[in-house]
């Protein structure tokens, strides 16, 4: 059983399990699935300032904080006890392309030449982590939710704003991966 859990699950198993989360939340507690709202709940809980955006009854949304805690705990358990000891396999064409940008040390999920404290203080690292983080936070707030909220929950509820947001997420991802990222990596 442990070996089954350690292996990557095929899309036809993992996809429906993620998809069934939405109706389970709706049926059990009339709740919508999404993660980005948890930052607002955390700020409202920890910073009881006189800011209008944070003045609401965050205690009604405490389930979301337990959900996020479960995601973090699940990640820690999976990394600590269920991680695959074999190195991550990266396509040879991708390795060649990244080497053209000077990224040759790819040993984990994130290349340290891009995602480390040392690279944070470079122009490339600043764009990747600080500017990129700002755009993700701003974008999820401006769109009224993150990709999980819109693409999983909103689409399953047949919400037109979620369809528009999901299309924009994919278009933005294609532009980022094919136009902006190569420019940033060449800095």
């Amino acid at each position: 059983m442990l070996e089954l859990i350690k292996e990557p699950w095929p899309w036809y198993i993992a996809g429906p399990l993620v998809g069934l989360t939405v109706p389970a939340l709706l049926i059990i507690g009339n709740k919508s699935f999404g993660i980005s709202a948890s930052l607002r709940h955390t700020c409202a809980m920890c910073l009881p300032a006189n800011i209008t955006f944070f003045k609401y009854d965050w205690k009604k949304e405490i389930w979301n904080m337990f959900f996020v805690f479960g995601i973090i705990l699940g990640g820690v358990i999976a990394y600590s006890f269920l991680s695959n000891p074999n190195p991550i396999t990266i396509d040879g064409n991708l390795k060649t392309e990244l080497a053209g940008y000077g990224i040759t040390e790819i040993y984990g999920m994130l290349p340290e030449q891009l995602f480390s404290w040392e690279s944070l203080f470079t122009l490339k690292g600043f764009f990747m982590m600080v500017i990129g983080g700002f755009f993700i936070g701003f974008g999820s707030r401006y769109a009224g939710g993150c990709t999980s909220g819109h693409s999983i929950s909103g689409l399953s509820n047949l919400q037109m704003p979620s369809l528009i947001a999901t299309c924009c997420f994919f278009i933005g991802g294609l532009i980022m991966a094919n136009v902006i990222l190569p420019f940033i990596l060449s800095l």
Side-chain angles (χ1 to χ4, degrees), residues 56-76:
Y56 68 96
D57 189 10
W58 58 265
K59 293 176 185 172
K60 288 183 179 177
E61 303 297 329
I62 196 70
W63 71 271
N64 189 262
M65 300 307 293
F66 283 106
F67 190 79
V68 170
F69 177 73
I71 291 172
I72 294 168
L73 181 63
V76 168

Side-chain angles (χ1 to χ4, degrees), residues 22-166:
V22 174
L25 283 171
L26 287 171
I27 291 168
I28 293 171
N30 197 25
K31 305 291 184 192
S32 293
F33 178 74
I35 301 300
S36 62
S38 61
L39 179 59
R40 180 181 184 207
H41 305 323
T42 303
C43 291
M45 181 173 42
C46 297
L47 304 168
N50 198 13
I51 300 171
T52 307
F53 184 67
F54 298 130
K55 285 186 174 181
Y56 68 96
D57 189 10
W58 58 265
K59 293 176 185 172
K60 288 183 179 177
E61 303 297 329
I62 196 70
W63 71 271
N64 189 262
M65 300 307 293
F66 283 106
F67 190 79
V68 170
F69 177 73
I71 291 172
I72 294 168
L73 181 63
V76 168
I77 291 170
Y79 179 79
S80 301
F81 302 109
L82 304 173
S83 58
N84 189 341
N86 300 325
I88 296 170
T89 306
I90 298 173
D91 185 73
N93 293 333
L94 178 60
K95 280 185 180 180
T96 304
E97 185 177 345
L98 290 174
Y101 295 115
I103 301 166
T104 55
E105 299 174 21
I106 307 169
Y107 304 114
M109 293 294 287
L110 301 171
E112 286 190 23
Q113 291 165 314
L114 287 178
F115 301 99
S116 66
W117 288 109
E118 293 81 26
S119 70
L120 176 63
F121 299 106
T122 66
L123 186 60
K124 190 184 306 186
F126 182 78
F127 271 105
M128 293 291 289
M129 291 185 270
V130 177
I131 303 296
F134 170 78
F135 276 123
I136 287 191
F138 175 80
S140 65
R141 178 68 196 130
Y142 187 72
C146 60
T147 52
S148 62
H150 280 297
S151 301
I152 298 172
S153 187
L155 288 180
S156 67
N157 291 325
L158 304 175
Q159 296 177 6
M160 183 57 75
S162 291
L163 178 61
I164 295 168
T166 300

Side-chain angles (χ1 to χ4, degrees), residues 4 7-17:
L4 177 69
E7 294 297 317
W9 292 1
W11 64 267
Y12 52 85
I13 301 290
L17 286 175

